[in-house]
Amino acid sequence: LEGGNAMRSGIMAGDSIVAIAVDRNSGGGLNDKLERIGVATECLGYDATIEALTSLPPPTSSEDEIILTVKRIRKQPKVNVKLQYPPYLNEPDTYIELFAGENLRRAMLTRGIKLNDKLSERFDSGGTGDCGADGTCATCVVSVTKGGELLSPMKMTESQILSKKPRWRMACKTVVGYGMMEGDLTIQVNPRQWETRANE
């Protein structure tokens, strides 16, 4: 209510009261004992919650504390990803929606996106095949053309391997929505194939 106690408490619309307790000091002096009397209110309807709250004893002194525990539902930030494939494949752009905190490689693979470049040589051994997300082969690299700020910072190994390709990222070592950010991300899948075809 406008002007009510909740206005100054930090409680927001949509918060759910899950417990309330009264902490009371008894005994006085060196023999103080803390007594906590509480009730759980999670999943109770309005009337049952009010009944539980009013069942608690009122504070008896200014030193008594009322402790209110709330749960706050927070919207999970999302990142809209536009995937572009090498032009010679004649594949249309694909759009997927990822939640902040998802690993880019895992998220793409679970959505059926073919990520690893079969034509590229492994960075670590020069052979073919991927390293299984160890971050050593660089066959899952993507080129970020928009929204790079939405990705987790590069760690040392990735930074060293991709030092000559500042827009490239290893999908296996990249988290989208870094810092719980939302936004739009555009990436080119299999960037080596883009460069190879451009040079032909």
Side-chain angles (χ1 to χ4, degrees), residues 93-183:
D93 294 346
T94 302
Y95 297 85
I96 59 174
E97 190 175 70
L98 305 181
F99 287 108
E102 283 193 78
N103 174 274
L104 183 59
R105 177 183 184 268
R106 192 175 310 117
M108 291 172 68
L109 292 176
T110 58
R111 288 163 176 83
I113 308 296
K114 295 175 185 171
L115 178 63
N116 289 83
D117 187 350
K118 295 177 188 173
L119 303 178
S120 70
E121 291 184 356
R122 289 177 61 140
F123 176 83
D124 54 356
S125 67
T128 58
D130 67 73
C131 64
D134 284 339
T136 58
C137 72
T139 60
C140 68
V141 292
V142 295
S143 179
V144 180
T145 59
K146 177 184 176 188
E149 70 280 359
L150 300 170
L151 304 176
S152 56
M154 279 190 184
K155 294 195 175 161
M156 188 185 328
T157 302
E158 181 184 10
S159 181
Q160 289 173 343
I161 290 172
L162 301 178
S163 62
K164 295 180 181 177
K165 305 287 184 181
R167 289 189 350 194
W168 287 18
R169 294 297 309 267
M170 287 186 187
C172 67
K173 296 300 174 189
T174 303
V175 174
V176 298
Y178 183 73
M180 302 303 278
M181 290 192 294
E182 289 187 314

Side-chain angles (χ1 to χ4, degrees), residues 53 70 84 155 164 175 184 196:
L53 296 178
V70 298
Q84 298 175 320
K155 294 195 175 161
K164 295 180 181 177
V175 174
D184 297 320
T196 302

